[in-house]
Amino acid sequence: MLIVIDGPAGAGKSSTAKAVARKAGVDYIDSGALYRGFTLLYVHNGQNKSKFFDVIDEEILSFEFDRDTSKAFIRGEEVTDKLRSEEVTRNVSTVAALPEVRRKVSAALKNAALSRNCIAEGRDLGTVVFPDADLKFFLTADIQERALRRHKEIRAGAEPANLEQVKENLLSRDHQDTNRAVDPLKKADDAIEIDTTRTTFEEQVNMILTEIQKITPHKH
Ligand code: CDP
């Protein structure tokens, strides 16, 4: 079984997908972590695209998919805890717009989904990477609500942030992700849209679980 969730940052994709994965007994795949892994490599190379492309060809970046964590490694050393730094977040949509990077991430995602039942979340999963997924969802929420959520999340972590900057980053990534030439953020025609602005976390998790039950034969 393959379930995909797409949508903009802060709409609740990861937390919802993780909870659904746990309850449905499937693995969780975070496609953003892969784009963030490439972005970390780009940052390590001074944000210089030609150096970055040389390093990509060395295949030093690798990924592992645990039940609920998508992990990144550079030359075998785990860098998962560096993927959500402010610098990576600021650059990720630029790196994710590069066709070479998208090709590599898509291949890694397809490979990961071959061997497991999973729920994967991202921007172009229902439209480009997994057009034949068993179920597709598109999560959205008002920008103000998304900025508040993300701000709260970041404040709980190590790096300081101010609400206006968080909101600006979300708007700038929304713009880049929606308008890029390759695989833009877009709702698949057959995706079920859930606006999470006013739903509770339990409600959105249950909406997805209900749809999964509809396509899963009853076990007696
Ligand atoms: O967690 P958050 O919503 O902040 O972002 P993410 O899921 O970690 O994704 C980070 C960035 O990667 C997005 O803003 C996109 O630019 C890119 N991305 C993408 O282009 N396609 C995907 N399937 C997933 C992420």
Side-chain angles (χ1 to χ4, degrees), residues 9 13 31-32 35-36 84 92-93 96 102 122-125 150 173 177 180:
K13 297 185 304 293
S31 67
Y35 288 102
R36 288 171 178 274
R84 304 200 67 87
V92 64
S93 290
R102 301 208 70 79
R123 301 291 187 285
D124 61 339
L125 304 188
R150 189 44 60 91
R173 281 202 286 146
D177 293 348
R180 69 177 169 230

Side-chain angles (χ1 to χ4, degrees), residues 86 89-90 143 147 150-151 154 159-173:
E86 197 269 331
T89 301
R90 203 164 358 100
I143 176 65
R150 189 44 60 91
H151 182 237
I154 297 173
E159 293 186 44
N162 98 27
L163 180 60
E164 268 320 296
Q165 280 168 353
V166 170
K167 189 168 166 183
E168 264 169 41
N169 171 266
L170 293 189
L171 284 171
S172 134
R173 281 202 286 146

Side-chain angles (χ1 to χ4, degrees), residues 5-14 28 30-36 39 83-84 88-89 91-97 102 105 109 121-125 129 150 153 169-170 173-174 176-177 180 182-185:
I5 306 184
D6 289 308
K13 297 185 304 293
S14 2
Y28 162 72
D30 172 11
S31 67
L34 280 63
Y35 288 102
R36 288 171 178 274
T39 307
L83 299 180
R84 304 200 67 87
V88 168
T89 301
N91 286 287
V92 64
S93 290
T94 303
V95 174
R102 301 208 70 79
V105 170
L109 292 171
E121 55 107 348
R123 301 291 187 285
D124 61 339
L125 304 188
V129 186
R150 189 44 60 91
E153 228 172 75
N169 171 266
L170 293 189
R173 281 202 286 146
D174 283 358
Q176 280 181 275
D177 293 348
R180 69 177 169 230
V182 219
D183 314 341
L185 166 64

Side-chain angles (χ1 to χ4, degrees), residues 3-5 12-31 33 66-71 80 84 118-121 139 150 153 201 204-205 208-209 212:
I3 301 156
V4 297
I5 306 184
K13 297 185 304 293
S14 2
S15 50
T16 307
K18 276 188 201 174
V20 171
R22 222 174 299 124
K23 296 203 174 182
V26 301
D27 289 353
Y28 162 72
I29 293 183
D30 172 11
S31 67
D66 261 10
R67 279 236 86 163
D68 64 359
T69 316
S70 302
K71 300 177 172 177
T80 313
R84 304 200 67 87
C118 61
I119 179 160
E121 55 107 348
L139 257 59
R150 189 44 60 91
E153 228 172 75
F201 183 70
Q204 69 221 33
V205 168
I208 295 179
L209 286 171
I212 295 176

